[in-house]
Amino acid sequence: MLFNSFEFLVFFIALVIVYFSINSKYRWMLLLAASYYFYMSWKAEYILLILFTTAVSYFCSIWMQSAETLPKRRRILIFSLVVNLGVLFFFKYFNFLYDGVRDVLSSYSIQYEYAGLDILLPLGISFYTFQTIGYNLDVFYQVRKPEKHFGIFALYVSFFPQLIAGPIERSTELLPQFYKEHKYDSQRIFNGIKYIIWGLFKKLVIADRLVPSVNEAFSHTEMYSGSTMLFASLLFAIQLYADFSAYSEIAKGLAKILGYKLMDNFNHPFISKNITEFWRRWHISLSFWLRDYLYTPILFSKKKWGKWAIVYSLLITFTLVGIWHGTRINFVILGLLQAVALIFEMFTKKFRKKLSKAMPKGIYNRLSMIITLIYILYSFSFFKAKTFQDSLNISKSLFSSLFDYLNLKNFILNMGYERFLFTLLLVLVFILSDQWIFKKVKEEKSSLANSLILFPFLIACTFIFGYFGEVEFIYFQF
Amino acid sequence: MDKSEIYVQLLSVFRRVFENDSINIEDSTTADDIENWDSMTHLMLITEIEEDFSIEINGMDIMNLHNVGNLASLIERKKS
Amino acid sequence: MIKSIKFFVAFCLSIITIYVIMMFILSLFSFRNNTITQWSNNYYVPLGGSSYNRFREFKPNYFYDILFIGSSRTFRGYDPLIFKEDSLSTYNLGSSNQTLRNSYILAEDLIRSKNTSTLIVDIYSYSLSDISFESSMDLVSNIPNPSTAMKIQARELDIRTTNNFLRRLFTLNEKPVLKEKDAVAFGFCKKTNKLDSALIKKIAQNDIQSNPVEIIKEELDYIYKISRLCKERDIQLIFTTSPTSVFFTEKDREKMLDIILPIFESTGDIYLDYSKKLNLDSKDYFFDEGHMNYQGVEIFNKTLIKDLKTILKYK
């Protein structure tokens, strides 16, 4: 069930009514059943996978607790990691070598075909696997004790608002919440609804409207100039941001209505002045997870290398970020671009500080934002490009035809039938008002004017300007 | 070594690593409170503390450090 | 609790008010001959096309011997001029992809015993499936009576149709833009082309796959509803399936009949199945997979008239 579907609306309203009617002792059962039902609505067999991951993690953690020595604990941890990552690896990367090799070879006009198995990737597997691994690591590092209650642990792994596309929650933050009683609170429920309204607006009025133009540009990279591809990358960045942050905010709103607090996943990433800051504002739950569970342990295991430990750790972490996104070489490049930027920023910190003092603050900040944005757009072009050849085309045209405005003009005119200019107008208004509106969304107690005018206005805009063909959320394929 | 002695020595390490003589620390201080605290300075901080206090801080220890209070307690444990 | 309910009601009222006001303003202002609403989305259907004239030339106070209703297979399949040669006055009330639901709503509003004695409803698997959106958008824009248009948009349950309805309501002095080139008279549209070469090739290579369309319960319910409506209004109801091309396979036909024949048995309505009876060669008598050309229409209509005379004689 997609969040923006009628079935989900009915499902959720029914759930809320039952949730607040029954004794809070039994609510975890209701939520677990609802979460499994939600997951099975995509494909019934998925339930076996999530039960398997849940069981392995649950038993390994309890086992770890009773292990007497550190090496034994470590062995149990590695076992749980191998099993859980193995499942993830199997579904995601079975075709990786085949796809990757074939991709690179075809750009040199060598056709390499082999009938590999095409295994369908279960929805959400990257997200709940990471969330579960985080739990196992927390138990290993003795940050928390293992969860004894299997039902509540199963709920932690499968909690439906964040099951399919995050935010990836910490066991120390989310698990305890399932033990607390959450009373019916109309103010809190309205606050949750505000998140959902804003999420649906972003998805239907901004993200989905950009789909035709972005797909058109990235399907014909050989036809479009550098200027057009840069513009298309900008649109893609906005589409991805609107789509993914919408999902995260709807998740947060749904959880809030039920009384649970999920973390913020996005914090206006495009005002970042450098890539380091960008990753503190974009897909926050993933980057913080990586920082705490991957980057930091690797870094400190090589602390004798000093600065080079950081380089080493960044390279590994961000290559894995790339691979987490997908099986194509483009995603690896995406990851490496981040690592390179972060390493560069680390080594030039003092120099950049001196530079910022040498010019007026406003100019330095704006320049930083523009450079960061362009770097991000270039990285994102690897995210969206379908094949390695496409990325090569894009990179080539960015250098050769960056100022070909005629090509860009024709692209815009050709998209006209999709009411593209109006879409751009909506996008512009969105960019200018995003921060202001999100502040009102986060407010604990909105004024009557905002409650009865701004949010109904957003709903009306969604009705009138929304795109209502069926379009799935982008991050579902992860 | 008692807590107050640890804090005196710890403060000089902080001031040295972050190149700022006006820094002050207490139990609740976190990375967000100190300017320039990133993975580089974090790494430096840990290695300097290891040298200064003649202790070893390992991976397990790192994961449980959330504020300066945790750090001070860790040092106290290692020195006893 | 009461405070929450009051707030909830106020919130909903606010949504509706703001929504209607916005649609009003957006439909009020135009830029380059299109209202702002039409600039905002590409699913709006402007005034015009075959439905524009068809529903305006229909005289609801005039008496027609037979009224035809259904999809484009209706307005391209039953020519009132041929029926006129046999002294039968008829009219064609159909729209592109019109499903039975919309046919029912139109019948409810337009057809009475004082303007007809016989209603012929063309039945086809597509007109019983989930494709009503296009027809609803077209009718909402082009049906002269706004309350019929309101009914159609209400039952479509699609915000886009509702948007289109408000746009239609609030746009002043809208002029019809598209002209239906094939329009003849009395709602009929004529095409004389034969099948194109790509489809002829497919037939020659026997490349014809059964294309089962999912017939939905909601549409089947409208068979009962239309049957009841005609009985109440004392109108003779006849269901027909006009001739189909080779692309509507025997398997497709059997699947459809398995579902609808039992329903006709229970309502007792007459069903005339011409889907394969006349053996019309697809290459000569059809201009695409779903529609006869005029040569085919002539043969079909003449046969239908003969058969109707026998049936209606008993009434």
Side-chain angles (χ1 to χ4, degrees):
Chain A
M1 281 182 277
L2 287 173
F3 278 172
N4 56 321
S5 72
F6 187 68
E7 297 92 329
F8 183 78
L9 179 67
V10 172
F11 161 81
F12 186 69
I13 292 179
L15 175 68
V16 169
I17 294 174
V18 180
Y19 179 84
F20 286 113
S21 315
I22 64 176
N23 191 315
S24 68
K25 261 198 294 170
Y26 305 117
R27 286 181 185 168
W28 70 265
M29 287 189 234
L30 175 68
L31 288 178
L32 183 60
S35 299
Y36 279 1
Y37 175 78
F38 176 76
Y39 198 40
M40 288 170 75
S41 73
W42 299 95
K43 201 176 179 151
E45 292 91 338
Y46 284 171
I47 207 68
L48 297 169
L49 275 171
I50 208 173
L51 271 169
F52 178 71
T53 303
T54 307
V56 169
S57 305
Y58 175 81
F59 287 112
C60 282
S61 296
I62 295 193
W63 198 8
M64 254 194 270
Q65 187 76 337
S66 60
E68 302 92 32
T69 64
L70 183 60
K72 185 151 191 231
R73 285 165 62 88
R74 193 175 289 124
R75 263 179 272 137
I76 299 171
L77 173 73
I78 292 177
F79 172 72
S80 75
L81 288 178
V82 165
V83 171
N84 284 329
L85 284 174
V87 172
L88 179 61
F89 188 87
F90 173 73
F91 281 98
K92 256 186 122 136
Y93 310 115
F94 188 86
N95 290 328
F96 176 51
L97 275 173
Y98 166 52
D99 277 350
V101 171
R102 183 191 59 173
D103 244 11
V104 176
L105 286 182
S106 72
S107 67
Y108 290 96
S109 312
I110 304 172
Q111 300 296 94
Y112 170 61
E113 288 300 332
Y114 159 70
L117 275 171
D118 204 15
I119 300 183
L120 205 60
L121 183 67
L123 241 37
I125 192 169
S126 311
F127 291 92
Y128 74 69
T129 303
F130 267 40
Q131 190 159 299
T132 317
I133 289 175
Y135 163 78
N136 285 128
L137 289 167
D138 286 338
V139 171
F140 174 73
Y141 286 117
Q142 295 179 313
V143 169
R144 62 157 291 133
K145 289 201 165 48
E147 177 56 56
K148 292 254 159 57
H149 194 310
F150 186 78
I152 295 219
F153 180 67
L155 178 55
Y156 164 74
V157 176
S158 64
F159 189 44
F160 75 90
Q162 35 106 257
L163 174 60
I164 303 292
I168 302 171
E169 291 290 331
R170 298 303 173 84
S171 65
T172 46
E173 296 295 322
L174 184 58
L175 260 170
Q177 294 190 56
F178 294 123
Y179 281 101
K180 298 206 169 68
E181 178 182 353
H182 306 285
K183 290 198 161 63
Y184 173 88
D185 175 353
S186 52
Q187 183 63 58
R188 190 195 71 227
I189 289 178
F190 182 67
N191 289 341
I193 291 175
K194 283 193 293 174
Y195 273 92
I196 296 175
I197 292 173
W198 182 227
L200 288 174
F201 174 87
K202 284 200 283 191
K203 162 91 181 137
L204 295 167
V205 177
I206 305 296
D208 288 355
R209 286 186 73 117
L210 287 170
V211 167
S213 51
V214 169
N215 283 352
E216 166 60 30
F218 281 89
S219 302
H220 301 104
T221 54
E222 69 286 352
M223 270 188 359
Y224 293 112
S225 64
S227 51
T228 306
M229 290 318 297
L230 186 62
F231 181 60
S233 299
L234 173 64
L235 295 180
F236 174 64
I238 296 170
Q239 179 203 344
L240 188 59
Y241 167 61
D243 190 280
F244 198 10
S245 65
Y247 187 96
S248 303
E249 277 145 37
I250 294 175
K252 192 169 166 116
L254 294 169
K256 200 182 243 283
I257 290 175
L258 298 167
Y260 301 94
K261 186 169 192 299
L262 297 181
M263 65 184 291
D264 284 325
N265 222 2
F266 290 87
N267 184 13
H268 309 297
F270 297 120
I271 61 173
S272 301
K273 296 193 263 328
N274 50 63
I275 301 291
T276 314
E277 185 182 353
F278 180 78
W279 285 98
R280 285 200 296 266
R281 291 173 174 274
W282 175 276
H283 203 171
I284 298 172
S285 66
L286 177 68
S287 69
F288 280 15
W289 191 101
L290 291 164
R291 180 197 63 191
D292 293 343
Y293 294 111
L294 199 62
Y295 173 75
T296 304
I298 296 179
L299 177 66
F300 282 91
S301 70
K302 300 272 178 261
K303 60 177 138 69
K304 293 182 210 67
W305 296 357
K307 266 192 191 159
W308 297 100
I310 295 180
V311 175
Y312 176 74
S313 190
L314 280 175
L315 280 170
I316 294 186
T317 303
F318 275 92
T319 306
L320 289 171
V321 167
I323 295 181
W324 178 90
H325 279 86
T327 63
R328 293 182 277 125
I329 209 141
N330 282 345
F331 287 123
V332 179
I333 296 178
L334 170 74
L336 284 174
L337 281 172
Q338 308 314 304
V340 163
L342 290 166
I343 292 169
F344 170 81
E345 281 172 14
M346 182 192 69
F347 279 108
T348 58
K349 201 162 184 187
K350 292 215 169 84
F351 165 71
R352 286 182 296 116
K353 195 147 190 198
K354 273 193 220 147
L355 203 62
S356 76
K357 295 220 158 82
M359 59 174 94
K361 190 163 189 203
I363 297 192
Y364 179 78
N365 284 344
R366 277 198 193 95
L367 224 67
S368 308
M369 276 193 239
I370 293 173
I371 296 175
T372 305
L373 182 64
I374 293 180
Y375 194 83
I376 291 294
L377 296 186
Y378 182 62
S379 307
F380 277 7
S381 73
F382 286 92
F383 189 118
K384 181 66 183 171
K386 285 196 261 200
T387 63
F388 183 60
Q389 181 61 51
D390 283 313
S391 328
L392 284 179
N393 289 344
I394 295 172
S395 301
K396 265 187 244 163
S397 49
L398 279 173
F399 284 107
S400 62
S401 54
L402 188 60
F403 298 104
D404 183 353
Y405 295 123
L406 187 64
N407 188 292
L408 177 58
K409 180 171 152 212
N410 286 336
F411 171 70
I412 294 177
L413 290 176
N414 283 336
M415 296 308 304
Y417 68 96
E418 288 279 348
R419 300 301 186 247
F420 185 54
L421 285 170
F422 200 88
T423 302
L424 292 180
L425 181 65
L426 289 169
V427 167
L428 184 64
V429 174
F430 166 67
I431 292 173
L432 295 172
S433 55
D434 182 17
Q435 276 181 285
W436 174 78
I437 296 181
F438 195 50
K439 226 187 283 176
K440 302 273 179 272
V441 170
K442 287 192 283 197
E443 270 176 352
E444 277 300 314
K445 195 156 178 19
S446 281
S447 67
L448 207 62
N450 284 326
S451 311
L452 287 180
I453 298 181
L454 175 62
F455 288 94
F457 172 71
L458 288 174
I459 294 178
C461 284
T462 309
F463 286 163
I464 297 173
F465 303 123
Y467 177 86
F468 288 99
E470 279 260 283
V471 180
E472 268 201 346
F473 289 95
I474 297 180
Y475 263 78
F476 274 17
Q477 53 185 292
F478 304 110
Chain B
M1 235 184 149
D2 77 14
K3 257 289 183 62
S4 53
E5 288 173 321
I6 291 177
Y7 261 94
V8 168
Q9 222 177 316
L10 202 52
L11 185 62
S12 72
V13 178
F14 267 79
R15 288 185 170 167
R16 200 187 328 134
V17 167
F18 293 101
E19 291 172 358
N20 183 348
D21 285 333
S22 58
I23 287 185
N24 274 305
I25 52 169
E26 47 176 29
D27 271 353
S28 59
T29 312
T30 66
D32 296 330
D33 303 320
I34 297 190
E35 210 195 311
N36 217 12
W37 192 328
D38 57 27
S39 35
M40 188 132 82
T41 46
H42 192 139
L43 193 59
M44 256 199 271
L45 188 65
I46 298 294
T47 41
E48 292 278 313
I49 288 174
E50 283 182 312
E51 253 191 63
D52 255 40
F53 289 89
S54 310
I55 55 173
E56 251 229 66
I57 299 178
N58 59 41
M60 295 285 282
D61 302 320
I62 298 283
M63 297 302 284
N64 281 295
L65 293 177
H66 303 297
N67 54 38
V68 176
N70 296 148
L71 191 53
S73 312
L74 179 69
I75 299 172
E76 195 180 9
R77 264 203 322 275
K78 298 254 169 183
K79 291 301 285 185
S80 63
Chain C
M1 216 351 154
I2 306 243
K3 202 169 167 219
S4 304
I5 296 178
K6 268 200 238 162
F7 177 79
F8 176 70
V9 171
F11 190 76
C12 292
L13 284 174
S14 183
I15 297 174
I16 296 173
T17 312
I18 295 179
Y19 167 65
V20 172
I21 292 176
M22 279 180 74
M23 281 307 293
F24 177 74
I25 297 175
L26 292 171
S27 305
L28 201 61
F29 293 103
S30 292
F31 177 69
R32 287 207 196 152
N33 284 326
N34 271 328
T35 55
I36 310 284
T37 32
Q38 283 162 306
W39 281 105
S40 67
N41 264 310
N42 67 352
Y43 53 67
Y44 288 104
V45 174
L47 200 62
S50 62
S51 300
Y52 177 77
N53 284 313
R54 177 178 303 120
F55 290 99
R56 278 165 180 74
E57 285 164 16
F58 174 67
K59 303 193 216 341
N61 293 319
Y62 185 79
F63 185 84
Y64 300 90
D65 294 307
I66 306 173
L67 288 175
F68 306 106
I69 203 162
S71 66
S72 50
R73 287 166 51 81
T74 307
F75 70 72
R76 289 188 184 278
Y78 302 76
D79 183 7
L81 289 176
I82 298 181
F83 281 76
K84 199 162 188 200
E85 285 169 20
D86 252 273
S87 313
L88 288 167
S89 74
T90 62
Y91 200 92
N92 221 308
L93 295 167
S95 65
S96 219
N97 281 337
Q98 185 169 304
T99 61
L100 211 51
R101 184 208 316 135
N102 282 342
S103 296
Y104 172 77
I105 297 173
L106 290 175
E108 200 181 33
D109 279 9
L110 298 175
I111 298 173
R112 306 210 144 37
S113 58
K114 69 171 169 41
N115 59 20
T116 194
S117 58
T118 309
L119 176 64
I120 291 185
V121 178
D122 188 282
I123 283 262
Y124 187 50
S125 42
Y126 282 90
S127 54
L128 296 170
S129 67
D130 189 17
I131 54 162
S132 55
F133 180 67
E134 184 184 326
S135 160
S136 296
M137 291 298 270
D138 177 17
L139 291 172
V140 162
S141 293
N142 284 299
I143 284 272
N145 186 348
S147 69
T148 312
M150 184 157 90
K151 265 197 232 174
I152 290 176
Q153 78 60 43
R155 281 186 227 181
E156 183 61 36
L157 291 177
D158 187 317
I159 192 70
R160 296 170 290 179
T161 323
T162 310
N163 289 346
N164 193 29
F165 174 68
L166 288 178
R167 177 202 66 83
R168 166 239 164 93
L169 216 59
F170 294 141
T171 305
L172 311 160
N173 303 324
E174 194 184 358
K175 293 190 183 42
V177 287
L178 310 165
K179 254 195 133 220
E180 173 61 71
K181 326 176 231 94
D182 299 338
V184 182
F186 303 111
F188 180 71
C189 288
K190 182 182 196 168
K191 231 188 172 77
T192 53
N193 314 33
K194 299 222 177 120
L195 218 53
D196 73 41
S197 50
L199 291 175
I200 292 180
K201 204 173 175 194
K202 266 189 159 181
I203 298 178
Q205 294 171 339
N206 219 357
D207 177 19
I208 297 164
Q209 265 119 32
S210 167
N211 191 10
V213 155
E214 205 205 320
I215 293 179
I216 59 176
K217 182 178 179 295
E218 191 209 349
E219 291 292 343
L220 292 174
D221 286 343
Y222 279 99
I223 297 183
Y224 294 102
K225 289 197 167 110
I226 262 190
S227 180
R228 230 175 294 142
L229 181 73
C230 289
K231 288 201 179 80
E232 280 167 18
R233 296 189 182 175
D234 202 21
I235 297 172
Q236 171 72 56
L237 174 61
I238 300 175
F239 290 98
T240 56
T241 300
S242 51
T244 59
S245 75
V246 69
F247 292 97
F248 183 67
T249 63
E250 261 309 318
K251 215 170 167 194
D252 296 331
R253 175 173 174 260
E254 266 167 51
K255 210 161 174 246
M256 181 182 80
L257 291 178
D258 279 342
I259 298 176
I260 62 178
L261 284 179
I263 301 181
F264 295 140
E265 262 194 57
S266 77
T267 61
D269 289 310
I270 300 171
Y271 173 55
L272 303 173
D273 179 10
Y274 295 94
S275 55
K276 299 294 178 195
K277 195 152 89 168
L278 302 180
N279 260 312
L280 294 175
D281 191 331
S282 302
K283 287 192 246 91
D284 297 318
Y285 296 104
F286 286 83
F287 72 81
D288 72 14
E289 290 133 315
H291 305 90
M292 283 183 290
N293 57 22
Y294 196 67
Q295 296 86 304
V297 172
E298 279 179 315
I299 298 177
F300 166 53
N301 284 182
K302 295 213 167 85
T303 315
L304 178 63
I305 291 171
K306 226 191 307 166
D307 294 340
L308 282 174
K309 287 216 157 99
T310 327
I311 295 170
L312 296 175
K313 236 197 208 114
Y314 287 106
K315 286 286 155 189

